[in-house]
């Protein structure tokens, strides 16, 4: 949980971020979600290439099973 909170703290300062939340399920206490909203594809790409993303996400992958769902509005 600490690493996810670190990712959120850094990501909230990325250019183009609209929303970046870390949530815990109320029915499964071992299930967490990161929900993020970006101004555009370029902002998301820059975030994915940032130092904090490239450093922290691999650490999160070591601790958990991660899946990605993308919704375009």
């Amino acid at each position: 949980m600490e690493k996810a909170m670190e990712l959120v703290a850094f990501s909230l300062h990325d250019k183009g971020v609209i929303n970046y939340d870390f949530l815990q399920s109320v029915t499964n206490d071992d299930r967490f979600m990161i929900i993020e909203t970006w101004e555009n594809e370029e902002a998301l790409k820059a975030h994915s290439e940032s130092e904090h993303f490239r450093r922290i996400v691999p650490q999160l992958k070591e601790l958990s099973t991660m899946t990605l769902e993308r919704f375009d509005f």
Side-chain angles (χ1 to χ4, degrees):
M1 185 181 305
E2 184 177 313
K3 285 294 171 188
M5 294 301 293
E6 181 181 359
L7 179 62
V8 171
F10 281 111
S11 299
L12 285 171
H13 298 285
D14 287 347
K15 183 178 180 182
V17 68
I18 295 171
N19 191 41
Y20 210 96
D21 286 316
F22 176 60
L23 309 168
Q24 183 175 9
S25 171
V26 295
T27 57
N28 295 302
D29 61 357
D30 65 341
R31 192 161 296 178
F32 301 91
M33 240 190 304
I34 294 176
I35 300 174
E36 49 191 280
T37 306
W38 296 92
E39 286 182 3
N40 54 46
E41 187 68 31
E42 293 78 26
L44 174 59
K45 185 176 188 288
H47 165 67
S48 299
E49 295 172 353
S50 68
E51 182 279 330
H52 56 272
F53 184 92
R54 290 180 312 175
R55 177 175 49 85
I56 298 170
V57 169
Q59 295 172 3
L60 291 173
K61 286 181 178 180
E62 289 179 14
L63 301 171
S64 62
T65 301
M66 295 178 70
T67 58
L68 172 68
E69 291 183 51
R70 180 179 173 141
F71 302 95
D72 292 313
F73 300 97

